[in-house]
């Protein structure tokens, strides 16, 4: 018999996993915030996944500038995830 009570939060093996695609922009950051308001981290494993939602080869700027922007977007996702206390 386990000593844990039924009111304790489930471990990661029993939590439902929710993965949210994040671009580093306002829309996906707000979506992650709203997700947290509606799905308790006690019952859900919430993970922010960085995504690029455009093809950088379609842009006119230099390859170096594209890489810098993508890196900045990824850093923005990390900051938002850390602020919201979700995995990334």
């Amino acid at each position: 018999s386990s000593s844990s009570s039924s009111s304790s939060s489930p471990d990661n093996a029993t939590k439902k996993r929710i993965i949210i695609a994040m671009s580093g922009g306002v829309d996906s950051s707000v979506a992650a915030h709203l997700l947290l308001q509606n799905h308790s981290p006690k019952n859900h494993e919430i993970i922010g996944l960085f995504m690029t939602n455009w093809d950088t080869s379609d842009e006119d700027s230099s390859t170096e500038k594209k890489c810098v922007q993508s890196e900045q977007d990824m850093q923005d996702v990390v900051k938002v995830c850390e602020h919201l206390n979700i995995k990334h």
Side-chain angles (χ1 to χ4, degrees), residues 55-85:
D55 185 350
T56 56
S57 65
D58 290 339
E59 297 177 5
D60 292 330
S61 58
S62 71
T63 302
E64 182 178 328
K65 185 175 179 182
K66 292 175 201 173
C67 291
V68 169
Q69 183 60 50
S70 182
E71 179 65 28
Q72 181 61 52
D73 291 343
M74 186 173 70
Q75 289 174 8
D76 290 344
V77 168
V78 169
K79 286 178 188 176
V80 170
C81 287
E82 288 175 351
H83 178 77
L84 296 174
N85 198 29

Side-chain angles (χ1 to χ4, degrees), residues 18-54:
I18 301 173
I19 298 176
I20 182 165
M22 300 180 69
S23 65
V26 173
D27 294 341
S28 61
S29 298
V30 170
H33 174 74
L34 293 173
L35 178 69
L36 279 175
Q37 287 185 330
N38 293 302
H39 295 85
S40 168
K42 293 180 205 172
N43 300 320
H44 298 86
E45 179 184 15
I46 301 172
I47 302 170
L49 178 69
F50 173 66
M51 63 164 214
T52 301
N53 56 358
W54 67 89

